[in-house]
């Protein structure tokens, strides 16, 4: 199941009061849309920012939305993200798994689970999540949607956890995920749509975030954007070469 209640998951929600099949229909004219290219703190590749800047113009120019530049106002939640991953995991089991796998486990994951986490670090992570959530509900009282880059960087080479530098700034290995995990913390619906292509013909995504439980608005916005900025006939050269 991807929607609706399930007694095996204490966090599952009641069945939606809308039809998922028709949720993407209709226009989004008049919606209040915020655009944040960096959430107020994130390191972002300059080319990604430029591409997403252009994609956001579609919402005002072609789709009739009222778009303004605005940051949601929460602090960088990167440390909370890692602490919550540990707090919601079987840390003892993961450490045993790291011991048994040795160098077959990703070095960054092994380092994460073998770190000496304190109770204060874990409770601080919980408080960090609450800070993000409280800032989010206040922010979304003013806006129907928030637009951001999906990822902070274009696709990168295989074999690394993430770039060590983004936009000239040294970052941690998972920092390229800065735009996505905050909405796991808040439980808000989000979709990603193609924003454009780098000079190297690599795809860049635009993230559309809605109010909590307002999945229809996100689906409708994603469908409207894709109709205004079609992409289905364009594929990275590597896939074309592979015949995919």
């Amino acid at each position: 199941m991807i929607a609706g209640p399930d007694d095996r998951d204490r966090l599952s929600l009641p069945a939606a009061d809308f039809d998922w099949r028709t949720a993407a229909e209709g226009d989004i004219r008049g919606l209040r849309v915020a655009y944040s290219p960096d959430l107020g703190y994130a390191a972002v590749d300059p080319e990604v920012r430029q591409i997403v800047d252009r994609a956001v113009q579609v919402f005002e120019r072609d789709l009739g939305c009222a778009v303004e530049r605005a940051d949601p106002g929460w602090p960088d939640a990167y440390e909370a993200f890692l602490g919550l991953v540990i707090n919601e995991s079987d840390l003892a089991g993961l450490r045993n798994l790291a011991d048994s796998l040795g160098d077959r486990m990703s070095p960054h994951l092994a380092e994460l689970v073998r770190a000496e986490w304190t109770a204060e670090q874990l409770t601080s992570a919980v408080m960090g999540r609450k800070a993000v959530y409280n800032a989010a509900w206040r922010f979304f009282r003013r806006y129907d949607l928030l637009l951001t880059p999906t990822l902070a960087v274009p696709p990168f080479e295989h074999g690394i956890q993430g770039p060590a530098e983004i936009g000239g700034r040294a970052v941690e290995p998972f920092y390229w995920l800065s735009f996505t995990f905050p909405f796991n913390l808040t439980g808000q619906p989000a979709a990603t749509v193609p924003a454009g292509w780098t000079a190297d013909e690599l795809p860049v995504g635009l993230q559309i975030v809605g109010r909590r439980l307002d999945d229809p608005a996100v689906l409708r916005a994603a469908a409207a954007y894709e109709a205004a900025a079609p992409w289905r006939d364009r594929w990275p050269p590597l896939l074309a070469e592979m015949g995919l």
Side-chain angles (χ1 to χ4, degrees), residues 50-67:
Q50 184 181 51
I51 291 167
V52 175
D53 280 349
R54 290 197 298 266
V56 168
Q57 294 173 15
V58 172
F59 282 79
E60 191 159 36
R61 183 187 66 228
D62 302 323
L63 300 178
C65 297
V67 180

Side-chain angles (χ1 to χ4, degrees), residues 67-85:
V67 180
E68 63 183 61
R69 171 74 165 77
D71 299 325
W74 57 68
D76 190 340
Y78 184 77
E79 292 301 326
F81 163 59
L82 295 179
L84 288 168
V85 169

